[in-house]
Amino acid sequence: MKSNENQYVQLTASMLRTGILGYGGGPSVIPLIRHDAVTRYQWLNDDEFGETLAIANALPGPIATKMAAYLGYKLKGVRGALVSVLAHILPSCIAMIALLSAVNYLSGSKVVAGMIAGVSPVIAVMLGLMAYEFAQKTYKGLGLWLGLALFLLALLLLEVLHVHPAIVIVLFLGYGTLHYRTIAKLNSKRNHKGGTP
């Protein structure tokens, strides 16, 4: 019973923290969610988090909310998903209601503009670090040249041909499934041949 309650407390604390500190929208929250889910509480490993992030990107709606719902559901089912999503969106809702009357004043404030300018580089560094870690995994899993080729292909599809990101993600998920199934079959054939006298 205590461990169940403890997981609810951890989930609520984590989602409240990401909801409060995740300034700048979904992409800025992902490194915070990853830190809690993978490093602090170890609900997921790096590979599971990467797969979940890819699937969440392919689905419509805010990515941080989808990640919160998935983590809650993974830990505690439907009730956990509700608790997680509510804890994640509650700080934003309260802040929106509290600050709505002051929007006109704050929009012209030099102090607020300075705060935004100060936070932006931190978000950029966090996203860059996460991209670097994913690049390392790509290098280990696919090798340098194939990883680079797939990166250039994704860049071409997104920036030159303007293919919708969800379509690109689905294509790459399909390729990844095919790639790893092929490798698994080849490895099993090699092991089978090596085991026969």
Side-chain angles (χ1 to χ4, degrees):
M1 185 72 178
K2 267 193 174 178
S3 66
N4 282 347
E5 288 176 4
N6 192 31
Q7 278 195 326
Y8 276 117
V9 170
Q10 288 176 352
L11 192 59
T12 304
S14 173
M15 292 303 111
L16 280 171
R17 189 165 42 247
T18 56
I20 292 167
L21 300 176
Y23 177 82
S28 66
V29 180
I30 297 306
L32 298 173
I33 293 176
R34 181 186 171 277
H35 174 74
D36 277 1
V38 176
T39 309
R40 184 180 298 211
Y41 299 119
Q42 297 175 351
W43 296 324
L44 303 170
N45 61 38
D46 266 327
D47 292 335
E48 286 174 317
F49 186 84
E51 289 165 11
T52 306
L53 182 61
I55 292 166
N57 264 318
L59 297 171
I63 187 165
T65 311
K66 289 179 283 186
M67 293 295 289
Y70 174 79
L71 288 172
Y73 186 79
K74 184 179 189 319
L75 291 174
K76 292 293 172 186
V78 175
R79 190 182 293 177
L82 287 171
V83 168
S84 184
V85 170
L86 286 173
H88 182 72
I89 65 172
L90 194 61
S92 299
C93 292
I94 293 169
M96 287 281 288
I97 292 165
L99 295 174
L100 197 56
S101 60
V103 163
N104 289 331
Y105 170 74
L106 292 174
S107 62
S109 169
K110 290 182 180 179
V111 174
V112 172
M115 286 169 62
I116 292 169
V119 169
S120 296
V122 176
I123 294 169
V125 169
M126 289 171 75
L127 288 171
L129 184 62
M130 192 171 73
Y132 174 73
E133 288 174 358
F134 279 122
Q136 278 186 316
K137 283 181 193 160
T138 303
Y139 174 72
K140 286 177 187 173
L142 299 173
L144 176 64
W145 295 111
L146 183 57
L148 193 60
L150 290 174
F151 168 74
L152 292 173
L153 177 61
L155 195 65
L156 174 75
L157 290 170
L158 291 168
E159 297 299 323
V160 178
L161 301 176
H162 303 290
V163 177
H164 194 278
I167 295 169
V168 175
I169 290 165
V170 168
L171 286 173
F172 276 77
L173 282 172
Y175 170 76
T177 303
L178 183 68
H179 179 88
Y180 283 109
R181 279 188 181 171
T182 307
I183 285 176
K185 281 181 184 176
L186 289 172
N187 286 339
S188 67
K189 282 181 183 177
R190 282 182 198 156
N191 291 340
H192 185 68
K193 283 181 183 176
T196 54

